[in-house]
PDB file of all heavy atoms in Angstrom:
ATOM      1  N   GLY S  92       0.873  -1.167   0.124  1.00 98.00           N
ATOM      2  CA  GLY S  92       0.029   0.060  -0.014  1.00 98.00           C
ATOM      3  C   GLY S  92       0.842   1.307   0.043  1.00 98.00           C
ATOM      4  O   GLY S  92       0.553   2.260   0.521  1.00 98.00           O
ATOM      5  N   CYS S  93       2.039   1.140  -0.756  1.00 98.00           N
ATOM      6  CA  CYS S  93       3.023   2.407  -0.646  1.00 98.00           C
ATOM      7  C   CYS S  93       2.372   3.674  -1.344  1.00 98.00           C
ATOM      8  O   CYS S  93       2.891   4.650  -1.055  1.00 98.00           O
ATOM      9  CB  CYS S  93       4.315   1.909  -1.125  1.00 98.00           C
ATOM     10  SG  CYS S  93       4.330   1.536  -2.939  1.00 98.00           S
ATOM     11  N   ALA S  94       1.292   3.404  -2.220  1.00 98.00           N
ATOM     12  CA  ALA S  94       0.854   4.513  -2.938  1.00 98.00           C
ATOM     13  C   ALA S  94      -0.448   5.140  -2.062  1.00 98.00           C
ATOM     14  O   ALA S  94      -1.040   6.055  -2.536  1.00 98.00           O
ATOM     15  CB  ALA S  94       0.404   4.246  -4.283  1.00 98.00           C
ATOM     16  N   GLY S  95      -0.662   4.593  -0.981  1.00 98.00           N
ATOM     17  CA  GLY S  95      -1.719   4.979  -0.061  1.00 98.00           C
ATOM     18  C   GLY S  95      -1.295   6.127   0.774  1.00 98.00           C
ATOM     19  O   GLY S  95      -0.153   6.576   0.729  1.00 98.00           O
ATOM     20  N   PHE S  96      -2.231   6.720   1.543  1.00 98.00           N
ATOM     21  CA  PHE S  96      -1.928   7.912   2.295  1.00 98.00           C
ATOM     22  C   PHE S  96      -0.898   7.633   3.526  1.00 98.00           C
ATOM     23  O   PHE S  96       0.186   8.252   3.505  1.00 98.00           O
ATOM     24  CB  PHE S  96      -3.280   8.191   2.968  1.00 98.00           C
ATOM     25  CG  PHE S  96      -3.305   9.288   4.041  1.00 98.00           C
ATOM     26  CD1 PHE S  96      -2.174  10.399   3.942  1.00 98.00           C
ATOM     27  CD2 PHE S  96      -4.068   9.350   5.164  1.00 98.00           C
ATOM     28  CE1 PHE S  96      -2.300  11.422   4.853  1.00 98.00           C
ATOM     29  CE2 PHE S  96      -4.162  10.338   6.026  1.00 98.00           C
ATOM     30  CZ  PHE S  96      -3.248  11.361   5.973  1.00 98.00           C
ATOM     31  N   ILE S  97      -1.111   6.628   4.339  1.00 98.00           N
ATOM     32  CA  ILE S  97      -0.081   6.403   5.377  1.00 98.00           C
ATOM     33  C   ILE S  97       1.086   5.665   4.692  1.00 98.00           C
ATOM     34  O   ILE S  97       2.285   5.983   5.126  1.00 98.00           O
ATOM     35  CB  ILE S  97      -0.834   5.554   6.396  1.00 98.00           C
ATOM     36  CG1 ILE S  97      -1.990   6.163   7.125  1.00 98.00           C
ATOM     37  CG2 ILE S  97       0.385   5.258   7.467  1.00 98.00           C
ATOM     38  CD1 ILE S  97      -2.605   5.455   8.091  1.00 98.00           C
ATOM     39  N   GLY S  98       0.823   4.849   3.738  1.00 98.00           N
ATOM     40  CA  GLY S  98       1.899   4.068   3.175  1.00 98.00           C
ATOM     41  C   GLY S  98       2.986   4.976   2.565  1.00 98.00           C
ATOM     42  O   GLY S  98       4.111   4.761   2.729  1.00 98.00           O
ATOM     43  N   MET S  99       2.556   5.953   1.781  1.00 98.00           N
ATOM     44  CA  MET S  99       3.583   6.839   1.115  1.00 98.00           C
ATOM     45  C   MET S  99       4.220   7.607   2.276  1.00 98.00           C
ATOM     46  O   MET S  99       5.580   7.750   2.047  1.00 98.00           O
ATOM     47  CB  MET S  99       2.763   7.908   0.220  1.00 98.00           C
ATOM     48  CG  MET S  99       3.768   8.919  -0.458  1.00 98.00           C
ATOM     49  SD  MET S  99       4.117  10.297   0.561  1.00 98.00           S
ATOM     50  CE  MET S  99       2.656  11.357   0.461  1.00 98.00           C
ATOM     51  N   HIS S 100       3.603   8.138   3.235  1.00 98.00           N
ATOM     52  CA  HIS S 100       4.327   8.952   4.271  1.00 98.00           C
ATOM     53  C   HIS S 100       5.393   8.017   5.000  1.00 98.00           C
ATOM     54  O   HIS S 100       6.582   8.461   5.296  1.00 98.00           O
ATOM     55  CB  HIS S 100       3.348   9.446   5.260  1.00 98.00           C
ATOM     56  CG  HIS S 100       2.657  10.641   4.795  1.00 98.00           C
ATOM     57  ND1 HIS S 100       3.294  11.920   4.794  1.00 98.00           N
ATOM     58  CD2 HIS S 100       1.416  10.942   4.297  1.00 98.00           C
ATOM     59  CE1 HIS S 100       2.484  12.842   4.299  1.00 98.00           C
ATOM     60  NE2 HIS S 100       1.378  12.272   4.052  1.00 98.00           N
ATOM     61  N   CYS S 101       4.935   6.823   5.288  1.00 98.00           N
ATOM     62  CA  CYS S 101       5.912   5.842   5.998  1.00 98.00           C
ATOM     63  C   CYS S 101       7.048   5.487   5.011  1.00 98.00           C
ATOM     64  O   CYS S 101       8.208   5.445   5.560  1.00 98.00           O
ATOM     65  CB  CYS S 101       5.177   4.692   6.447  1.00 98.00           C
ATOM     66  SG  CYS S 101       4.131   4.734   7.904  1.00 98.00           S
ATOM     67  N   ALA S 102       6.820   5.199   3.844  1.00 98.00           N
ATOM     68  CA  ALA S 102       7.840   4.847   2.795  1.00 98.00           C
ATOM     69  C   ALA S 102       8.878   5.977   2.744  1.00 98.00           C
ATOM     70  O   ALA S 102      10.119   5.762   2.705  1.00 98.00           O
ATOM     71  CB  ALA S 102       7.356   4.413   1.483  1.00 98.00           C
ATOM     72  N   ARG S 103       8.331   7.202   2.645  1.00 98.00           N
ATOM     73  CA  ARG S 103       9.244   8.331   2.524  1.00 98.00           C
ATOM     74  C   ARG S 103      10.245   8.601   3.753  1.00 98.00           C
ATOM     75  O   ARG S 103      11.414   8.735   3.542  1.00 98.00           O
ATOM     76  CB  ARG S 103       8.423   9.651   2.190  1.00 98.00           C
ATOM     77  CG  ARG S 103       9.154  10.879   1.872  1.00 98.00           C
ATOM     78  CD  ARG S 103       8.365  11.983   1.393  1.00 98.00           C
ATOM     79  NE  ARG S 103       7.437  12.420   2.321  1.00 98.00           N
ATOM     80  CZ  ARG S 103       6.515  13.449   2.189  1.00 98.00           C
ATOM     81  NH1 ARG S 103       6.338  13.912   0.989  1.00 98.00           N
ATOM     82  NH2 ARG S 103       5.699  13.752   3.126  1.00 98.00           N
ATOM     83  N   ARG S 104       9.604   8.371   4.861  1.00 98.00           N
ATOM     84  CA  ARG S 104      10.289   8.595   6.188  1.00 98.00           C
ATOM     85  C   ARG S 104      11.461   7.383   6.208  1.00 98.00           C
ATOM     86  O   ARG S 104      12.497   7.572   6.673  1.00 98.00           O
ATOM     87  CB  ARG S 104       9.450   8.522   7.400  1.00 98.00           C
ATOM     88  CG  ARG S 104      10.185   8.673   8.684  1.00 98.00           C
ATOM     89  CD  ARG S 104      10.604  10.120   8.963  1.00 98.00           C
ATOM     90  NE  ARG S 104       9.217  10.897   9.202  1.00 98.00           N
ATOM     91  CZ  ARG S 104       8.723  10.906  10.226  1.00 98.00           C
ATOM     92  NH1 ARG S 104       9.028  10.313  11.423  1.00 98.00           N
ATOM     93  NH2 ARG S 104       7.479  11.668  10.363  1.00 98.00           N
ATOM     94  N   LEU S 105      11.086   6.157   5.775  1.00 98.00           N
ATOM     95  CA  LEU S 105      12.103   5.021   5.781  1.00 98.00           C
ATOM     96  C   LEU S 105      13.261   5.357   4.864  1.00 98.00           C
ATOM     97  O   LEU S 105      14.385   5.145   5.145  1.00 98.00           O
ATOM     98  CB  LEU S 105      11.397   3.791   5.335  1.00 98.00           C
ATOM     99  CG  LEU S 105      10.390   3.119   6.421  1.00 98.00           C
ATOM    100  CD1 LEU S 105       9.624   2.058   5.648  1.00 98.00           C
ATOM    101  CD2 LEU S 105      11.234   2.500   7.565  1.00 98.00           C
ATOM    102  N   LEU S 106      12.866   5.937   3.777  1.00 98.00           N
ATOM    103  CA  LEU S 106      14.001   6.268   2.750  1.00 98.00           C
ATOM    104  C   LEU S 106      14.720   7.438   3.267  1.00 98.00           C
ATOM    105  O   LEU S 106      16.044   7.384   3.165  1.00 98.00           O
ATOM    106  CB  LEU S 106      13.316   6.694   1.374  1.00 98.00           C
ATOM    107  CG  LEU S 106      12.657   5.555   0.650  1.00 98.00           C
ATOM    108  CD1 LEU S 106      11.773   6.070  -0.490  1.00 98.00           C
ATOM    109  CD2 LEU S 106      13.745   4.522   0.041  1.00 98.00           C
ATOM    110  N   GLU S 107      14.243   8.374   4.000  1.00 97.00           N
ATOM    111  CA  GLU S 107      14.956   9.518   4.518  1.00 97.00           C
ATOM    112  C   GLU S 107      15.940   9.078   5.510  1.00 97.00           C
ATOM    113  O   GLU S 107      16.890   9.716   5.757  1.00 97.00           O
ATOM    114  CB  GLU S 107      13.955  10.552   5.005  1.00 97.00           C
ATOM    115  CG  GLU S 107      13.211  11.337   3.858  1.00 97.00           C
ATOM    116  CD  GLU S 107      12.095  12.171   4.401  1.00 97.00           C
ATOM    117  OE1 GLU S 107      11.762  11.997   5.601  1.00 97.00           O
ATOM    118  OE2 GLU S 107      11.523  13.049   3.587  1.00 97.00           O
ATOM    119  N   ARG S 108      15.575   8.028   6.236  1.00 97.00           N
ATOM    120  CA  ARG S 108      16.405   7.615   7.409  1.00 97.00           C
ATOM    121  C   ARG S 108      17.435   6.535   6.755  1.00 97.00           C
ATOM    122  O   ARG S 108      18.291   6.069   7.732  1.00 97.00           O
ATOM    123  CB  ARG S 108      15.723   7.004   8.555  1.00 97.00           C
ATOM    124  CG  ARG S 108      15.008   5.659   8.355  1.00 97.00           C
ATOM    125  CD  ARG S 108      14.300   5.202   9.643  1.00 97.00           C
ATOM    126  NE  ARG S 108      14.207   3.786   9.618  1.00 97.00           N
ATOM    127  CZ  ARG S 108      13.589   3.012  10.451  1.00 97.00           C
ATOM    128  NH1 ARG S 108      12.908   3.755  11.580  1.00 97.00           N
ATOM    129  NH2 ARG S 108      13.344   1.675  10.487  1.00 97.00           N
ATOM    130  N   GLY S 109      17.530   6.124   5.612  1.00 97.00           N
ATOM    131  CA  GLY S 109      18.453   5.348   4.990  1.00 97.00           C
ATOM    132  C   GLY S 109      18.099   3.920   4.715  1.00 97.00           C
ATOM    133  O   GLY S 109      19.035   3.108   4.435  1.00 97.00           O
ATOM    134  N   ASP S 110      16.805   3.562   5.000  1.00 98.00           N
ATOM    135  CA  ASP S 110      16.420   2.064   4.721  1.00 98.00           C
ATOM    136  C   ASP S 110      16.238   2.006   3.168  1.00 98.00           C
ATOM    137  O   ASP S 110      15.917   2.956   2.440  1.00 98.00           O
ATOM    138  CB  ASP S 110      15.110   1.749   5.424  1.00 98.00           C
ATOM    139  CG  ASP S 110      15.385   1.776   6.981  1.00 98.00           C
ATOM    140  OD1 ASP S 110      16.480   1.059   7.305  1.00 98.00           O
ATOM    141  OD2 ASP S 110      14.534   2.237   7.678  1.00 98.00           O
ATOM    142  N   GLU S 111      16.252   0.702   2.817  1.00 98.00           N
ATOM    143  CA  GLU S 111      15.640   0.300   1.396  1.00 98.00           C
ATOM    144  C   GLU S 111      14.320  -0.019   1.497  1.00 98.00           C
ATOM    145  O   GLU S 111      13.885  -0.702   2.490  1.00 98.00           O
ATOM    146  CB  GLU S 111      16.553  -0.879   0.855  1.00 98.00           C
ATOM    147  CG  GLU S 111      18.038  -0.560   0.739  1.00 98.00           C
ATOM    148  CD  GLU S 111      18.795  -1.708   0.212  1.00 98.00           C
ATOM    149  OE1 GLU S 111      18.189  -2.852  -0.005  1.00 98.00           O
ATOM    150  OE2 GLU S 111      20.052  -1.722   0.126  1.00 98.00           O
ATOM    151  N   VAL S 112      13.511   0.457   0.610  1.00 98.00           N
ATOM    152  CA  VAL S 112      12.130   0.178   0.523  1.00 98.00           C
ATOM    153  C   VAL S 112      11.694  -0.560  -0.769  1.00 98.00           C
ATOM    154  O   VAL S 112      12.032  -0.040  -1.946  1.00 98.00           O
ATOM    155  CB  VAL S 112      11.298   1.367   0.639  1.00 98.00           C
ATOM    156  CG1 VAL S 112       9.781   1.108   0.609  1.00 98.00           C
ATOM    157  CG2 VAL S 112      11.584   2.074   2.068  1.00 98.00           C
ATOM    158  N   THR S 113      11.089  -1.685  -0.682  1.00 98.00           N
ATOM    159  CA  THR S 113      10.299  -2.362  -1.747  1.00 98.00           C
ATOM    160  C   THR S 113       8.829  -2.043  -1.519  1.00 98.00           C
ATOM    161  O   THR S 113       8.302  -2.455  -0.643  1.00 98.00           O
ATOM    162  CB  THR S 113      10.538  -3.818  -1.799  1.00 98.00           C
ATOM    163  OG1 THR S 113      11.959  -4.089  -1.962  1.00 98.00           O
ATOM    164  CG2 THR S 113       9.788  -4.445  -2.926  1.00 98.00           C
ATOM    165  N   GLY S 114       8.270  -1.289  -2.460  1.00 98.00           N
ATOM    166  CA  GLY S 114       6.844  -0.821  -2.397  1.00 98.00           C
ATOM    167  C   GLY S 114       5.983  -1.673  -3.334  1.00 98.00           C
ATOM    168  O   GLY S 114       6.323  -1.978  -4.477  1.00 98.00           O
ATOM    169  N   ILE S 115       4.762  -2.019  -2.699  1.00 98.00           N
ATOM    170  CA  ILE S 115       3.719  -2.874  -3.469  1.00 98.00           C
ATOM    171  C   ILE S 115       2.559  -1.972  -3.497  1.00 98.00           C
ATOM    172  O   ILE S 115       2.099  -1.478  -2.405  1.00 98.00           O
ATOM    173  CB  ILE S 115       3.398  -4.183  -2.822  1.00 98.00           C
ATOM    174  CG1 ILE S 115       4.717  -5.054  -2.909  1.00 98.00           C
ATOM    175  CG2 ILE S 115       2.284  -4.825  -3.645  1.00 98.00           C
ATOM    176  CD1 ILE S 115       4.412  -6.467  -2.218  1.00 98.00           C
ATOM    177  N   ASP S 116       1.710  -1.898  -4.468  1.00 98.00           N
ATOM    178  CA  ASP S 116       0.449  -1.277  -4.513  1.00 98.00           C
ATOM    179  C   ASP S 116      -0.254  -1.781  -5.778  1.00 98.00           C
ATOM    180  O   ASP S 116       0.263  -1.944  -6.852  1.00 98.00           O
ATOM    181  CB  ASP S 116       0.474   0.309  -4.498  1.00 98.00           C
ATOM    182  CG  ASP S 116      -0.722   0.853  -3.969  1.00 98.00           C
ATOM    183  OD1 ASP S 116      -1.839   0.789  -4.582  1.00 98.00           O
ATOM    184  OD2 ASP S 116      -0.630   1.354  -2.866  1.00 98.00           O
ATOM    185  N   ASN S 117      -1.614  -1.986  -5.686  1.00 97.00           N
ATOM    186  CA  ASN S 117      -2.358  -2.402  -6.904  1.00 97.00           C
ATOM    187  C   ASN S 117      -3.057  -1.247  -7.574  1.00 97.00           C
ATOM    188  O   ASN S 117      -3.595  -1.404  -8.568  1.00 97.00           O
ATOM    189  CB  ASN S 117      -3.379  -3.539  -6.583  1.00 97.00           C
ATOM    190  CG  ASN S 117      -4.601  -2.979  -5.695  1.00 97.00           C
ATOM    191  OD1 ASN S 117      -4.592  -1.730  -5.344  1.00 97.00           O
ATOM    192  ND2 ASN S 117      -5.632  -3.772  -5.469  1.00 97.00           N
ATOM    193  N   LEU S 118      -2.837  -0.026  -7.002  1.00 97.00           N
ATOM    194  CA  LEU S 118      -3.415   1.253  -7.670  1.00 97.00           C
ATOM    195  C   LEU S 118      -4.952   1.030  -7.879  1.00 97.00           C
ATOM    196  O   LEU S 118      -5.363   1.352  -9.062  1.00 97.00           O
ATOM    197  CB  LEU S 118      -2.727   1.670  -8.841  1.00 97.00           C
ATOM    198  CG  LEU S 118      -1.136   1.888  -8.731  1.00 97.00           C
ATOM    199  CD1 LEU S 118      -0.519   2.350 -10.098  1.00 97.00           C
ATOM    200  CD2 LEU S 118      -0.950   3.016  -7.706  1.00 97.00           C
ATOM    201  N   SER S 119      -5.684   0.521  -6.809  1.00 94.00           N
ATOM    202  CA  SER S 119      -7.073   0.256  -6.927  1.00 94.00           C
ATOM    203  C   SER S 119      -7.804   1.546  -7.364  1.00 94.00           C
ATOM    204  O   SER S 119      -7.382   2.683  -6.926  1.00 94.00           O
ATOM    205  CB  SER S 119      -7.531  -0.164  -5.621  1.00 94.00           C
ATOM    206  OG  SER S 119      -8.936   0.062  -5.475  1.00 94.00           O
ATOM    207  N   PRO S 120      -8.851   1.447  -8.086  1.00 94.00           N
ATOM    208  CA  PRO S 120      -9.621   2.721  -8.590  1.00 94.00           C
ATOM    209  C   PRO S 120     -10.706   3.175  -7.550  1.00 94.00           C
ATOM    210  O   PRO S 120     -11.534   3.925  -7.869  1.00 94.00           O
ATOM    211  CB  PRO S 120     -10.256   2.301  -9.957  1.00 94.00           C
ATOM    212  CG  PRO S 120     -10.444   0.881  -9.718  1.00 94.00           C
ATOM    213  CD  PRO S 120      -9.225   0.327  -9.026  1.00 94.00           C
ATOM    214  N   TYR S 121     -10.565   2.536  -6.267  1.00 93.00           N
ATOM    215  CA  TYR S 121     -11.590   2.983  -5.238  1.00 93.00           C
ATOM    216  C   TYR S 121     -11.631   4.505  -5.056  1.00 93.00           C
ATOM    217  O   TYR S 121     -12.808   5.041  -4.934  1.00 93.00           O
ATOM    218  CB  TYR S 121     -11.202   2.256  -4.068  1.00 93.00           C
ATOM    219  CG  TYR S 121     -11.864   2.776  -2.678  1.00 93.00           C
ATOM    220  CD1 TYR S 121     -13.263   2.436  -2.631  1.00 93.00           C
ATOM    221  CD2 TYR S 121     -11.200   3.633  -1.839  1.00 93.00           C
ATOM    222  CE1 TYR S 121     -13.986   3.149  -1.523  1.00 93.00           C
ATOM    223  CE2 TYR S 121     -11.916   3.963  -0.720  1.00 93.00           C
ATOM    224  CZ  TYR S 121     -13.404   3.814  -0.511  1.00 93.00           C
ATOM    225  OH  TYR S 121     -13.926   4.301   0.605  1.00 93.00           O
ATOM    226  N   TYR S 122     -10.398   5.116  -5.154  1.00 94.00           N
ATOM    227  CA  TYR S 122     -10.496   6.568  -5.212  1.00 94.00           C
ATOM    228  C   TYR S 122      -9.304   6.997  -6.324  1.00 94.00           C
ATOM    229  O   TYR S 122      -8.657   6.078  -6.877  1.00 94.00           O
ATOM    230  CB  TYR S 122     -10.332   7.201  -3.883  1.00 94.00           C
ATOM    231  CG  TYR S 122      -9.046   7.058  -3.226  1.00 94.00           C
ATOM    232  CD1 TYR S 122      -7.773   7.758  -3.534  1.00 94.00           C
ATOM    233  CD2 TYR S 122      -8.925   6.090  -2.163  1.00 94.00           C
ATOM    234  CE1 TYR S 122      -6.606   7.535  -2.766  1.00 94.00           C
ATOM    235  CE2 TYR S 122      -7.783   5.843  -1.449  1.00 94.00           C
ATOM    236  CZ  TYR S 122      -6.540   6.662  -1.774  1.00 94.00           C
ATOM    237  OH  TYR S 122      -5.431   6.360  -1.273  1.00 94.00           O
ATOM    238  N   SER S 123      -9.102   8.230  -6.539  1.00 96.00           N
ATOM    239  CA  SER S 123      -8.364   8.817  -7.632  1.00 96.00           C
ATOM    240  C   SER S 123      -7.051   8.018  -7.799  1.00 96.00           C
ATOM    241  O   SER S 123      -6.127   8.018  -6.828  1.00 96.00           O
ATOM    242  CB  SER S 123      -8.127  10.228  -7.408  1.00 96.00           C
ATOM    243  OG  SER S 123      -7.118  10.717  -8.257  1.00 96.00           O
ATOM    244  N   VAL S 124      -6.868   7.418  -8.939  1.00 97.00           N
ATOM    245  CA  VAL S 124      -5.519   6.760  -9.256  1.00 97.00           C
ATOM    246  C   VAL S 124      -4.440   7.823  -9.485  1.00 97.00           C
ATOM    247  O   VAL S 124      -3.283   7.541  -9.115  1.00 97.00           O
ATOM    248  CB  VAL S 124      -5.684   5.842 -10.346  1.00 97.00           C
ATOM    249  CG1 VAL S 124      -4.325   5.204 -10.832  1.00 97.00           C
ATOM    250  CG2 VAL S 124      -6.630   4.632 -10.175  1.00 97.00           C
ATOM    251  N   GLN S 125      -4.926   8.776  -9.903  1.00 98.00           N
ATOM    252  CA  GLN S 125      -3.864   9.953 -10.105  1.00 98.00           C
ATOM    253  C   GLN S 125      -3.292  10.450  -8.789  1.00 98.00           C
ATOM    254  O   GLN S 125      -2.116  10.732  -8.711  1.00 98.00           O
ATOM    255  CB  GLN S 125      -4.560  11.206 -10.820  1.00 98.00           C
ATOM    256  CG  GLN S 125      -3.580  12.310 -11.195  1.00 98.00           C
ATOM    257  CD  GLN S 125      -2.449  11.727 -12.128  1.00 98.00           C
ATOM    258  OE1 GLN S 125      -2.700  11.054 -13.084  1.00 98.00           O
ATOM    259  NE2 GLN S 125      -1.280  11.963 -11.758  1.00 98.00           N
ATOM    260  N   LEU S 126      -4.098  10.575  -7.804  1.00 98.00           N
ATOM    261  CA  LEU S 126      -3.603  10.972  -6.516  1.00 98.00           C
ATOM    262  C   LEU S 126      -2.592   9.824  -6.013  1.00 98.00           C
ATOM    263  O   LEU S 126      -1.501  10.250  -5.477  1.00 98.00           O
ATOM    264  CB  LEU S 126      -4.650  11.090  -5.440  1.00 98.00           C
ATOM    265  CG  LEU S 126      -4.378  11.289  -3.904  1.00 98.00           C
ATOM    266  CD1 LEU S 126      -3.524  12.549  -3.763  1.00 98.00           C
ATOM    267  CD2 LEU S 126      -5.544  11.449  -3.128  1.00 98.00           C
ATOM    268  N   LYS S 127      -2.876   8.660  -6.213  1.00 98.00           N
ATOM    269  CA  LYS S 127      -1.947   7.593  -5.867  1.00 98.00           C
ATOM    270  C   LYS S 127      -0.633   7.616  -6.665  1.00 98.00           C
ATOM    271  O   LYS S 127       0.411   7.451  -6.133  1.00 98.00           O
ATOM    272  CB  LYS S 127      -2.594   6.200  -6.037  1.00 98.00           C
ATOM    273  CG  LYS S 127      -3.691   6.024  -5.108  1.00 98.00           C
ATOM    274  CD  LYS S 127      -4.353   4.607  -5.344  1.00 98.00           C
ATOM    275  CE  LYS S 127      -5.643   4.465  -4.412  1.00 98.00           C
ATOM    276  NZ  LYS S 127      -6.215   3.087  -4.687  1.00 98.00           N
ATOM    277  N   ARG S 128      -0.822   7.886  -7.968  1.00 98.00           N
ATOM    278  CA  ARG S 128       0.447   8.095  -8.771  1.00 98.00           C
ATOM    279  C   ARG S 128       1.229   9.361  -8.341  1.00 98.00           C
ATOM    280  O   ARG S 128       2.637   9.288  -8.277  1.00 98.00           O
ATOM    281  CB  ARG S 128       0.093   8.288 -10.212  1.00 98.00           C
ATOM    282  CG  ARG S 128      -0.459   7.015 -10.870  1.00 98.00           C
ATOM    283  CD  ARG S 128      -0.575   6.969 -12.364  1.00 98.00           C
ATOM    284  NE  ARG S 128      -1.192   5.799 -12.858  1.00 98.00           N
ATOM    285  CZ  ARG S 128      -0.678   4.607 -13.058  1.00 98.00           C
ATOM    286  NH1 ARG S 128       0.598   4.529 -12.700  1.00 98.00           N
ATOM    287  NH2 ARG S 128      -1.350   3.646 -13.502  1.00 98.00           N
ATOM    288  N   ASP S 129       0.504  10.419  -7.973  1.00 98.00           N
ATOM    289  CA  ASP S 129       1.327  11.632  -7.469  1.00 98.00           C
ATOM    290  C   ASP S 129       2.062  11.310  -6.167  1.00 98.00           C
ATOM    291  O   ASP S 129       3.074  11.906  -5.835  1.00 98.00           O
ATOM    292  CB  ASP S 129       0.259  12.715  -7.316  1.00 98.00           C
ATOM    293  CG  ASP S 129      -0.222  13.364  -8.562  1.00 98.00           C
ATOM    294  OD1 ASP S 129       0.522  13.091  -9.686  1.00 98.00           O
ATOM    295  OD2 ASP S 129      -1.254  14.049  -8.713  1.00 98.00           O
ATOM    296  N   ARG S 130       1.398  10.483  -5.248  1.00 98.00           N
ATOM    297  CA  ARG S 130       2.054   9.969  -4.021  1.00 98.00           C
ATOM    298  C   ARG S 130       3.240   9.202  -4.375  1.00 98.00           C
ATOM    299  O   ARG S 130       4.447   9.438  -3.784  1.00 98.00           O
ATOM    300  CB  ARG S 130       1.113   9.257  -3.166  1.00 98.00           C
ATOM    301  CG  ARG S 130      -0.049  10.085  -2.462  1.00 98.00           C
ATOM    302  CD  ARG S 130      -0.758   9.094  -1.573  1.00 98.00           C
ATOM    303  NE  ARG S 130      -2.063   9.508  -1.035  1.00 98.00           N
ATOM    304  CZ  ARG S 130      -3.169   8.817  -1.027  1.00 98.00           C
ATOM    305  NH1 ARG S 130      -3.196   7.656  -1.584  1.00 98.00           N
ATOM    306  NH2 ARG S 130      -4.168   9.514  -0.465  1.00 98.00           N
ATOM    307  N   LEU S 131       3.236   8.377  -5.353  1.00 98.00           N
ATOM    308  CA  LEU S 131       4.380   7.554  -5.780  1.00 98.00           C
ATOM    309  C   LEU S 131       5.390   8.554  -6.294  1.00 98.00           C
ATOM    310  O   LEU S 131       6.588   8.215  -6.218  1.00 98.00           O
ATOM    311  CB  LEU S 131       3.881   6.618  -6.815  1.00 98.00           C
ATOM    312  CG  LEU S 131       3.271   5.343  -6.431  1.00 98.00           C
ATOM    313  CD1 LEU S 131       2.899   4.473  -7.695  1.00 98.00           C
ATOM    314  CD2 LEU S 131       4.245   4.510  -5.513  1.00 98.00           C
ATOM    315  N   GLY S 132       5.085   9.661  -6.913  1.00 97.00           N
ATOM    316  CA  GLY S 132       5.985  10.600  -7.306  1.00 97.00           C
ATOM    317  C   GLY S 132       6.871  11.098  -6.288  1.00 97.00           C
ATOM    318  O   GLY S 132       7.997  11.615  -6.534  1.00 97.00           O
TER     319      GLY S 132
END
């Protein structure tokens, strides 16, 4: 859920502190896929 709300914030913090992150998301259309892509950005 790395393109999700909490997921993106957590992944970003993990990267900032020096961890490696493998992110998974299915980009479900339940809500705006563009928002999810922008989070991935």
Side-chain angles (χ1 to χ4, degrees):
C93 67
F96 174 32
I97 300 174
M99 179 276 283
H100 281 281
C101 284
R103 186 167 64 183
R104 184 80 66 84
L105 286 165
L106 291 166
E107 288 170 352
R108 76 180 198 177
D110 291 321
E111 297 177 3
V112 173
T113 300
I115 297 174
D116 204 291
N117 69 352
L118 300 180
S119 159
Y121 167 68
Y122 64 81
S123 169
V124 173
Q125 186 58 53
L126 173 60
K127 296 179 181 184
R128 292 193 185 281
D129 290 342
R130 291 184 186 133
L131 280 176

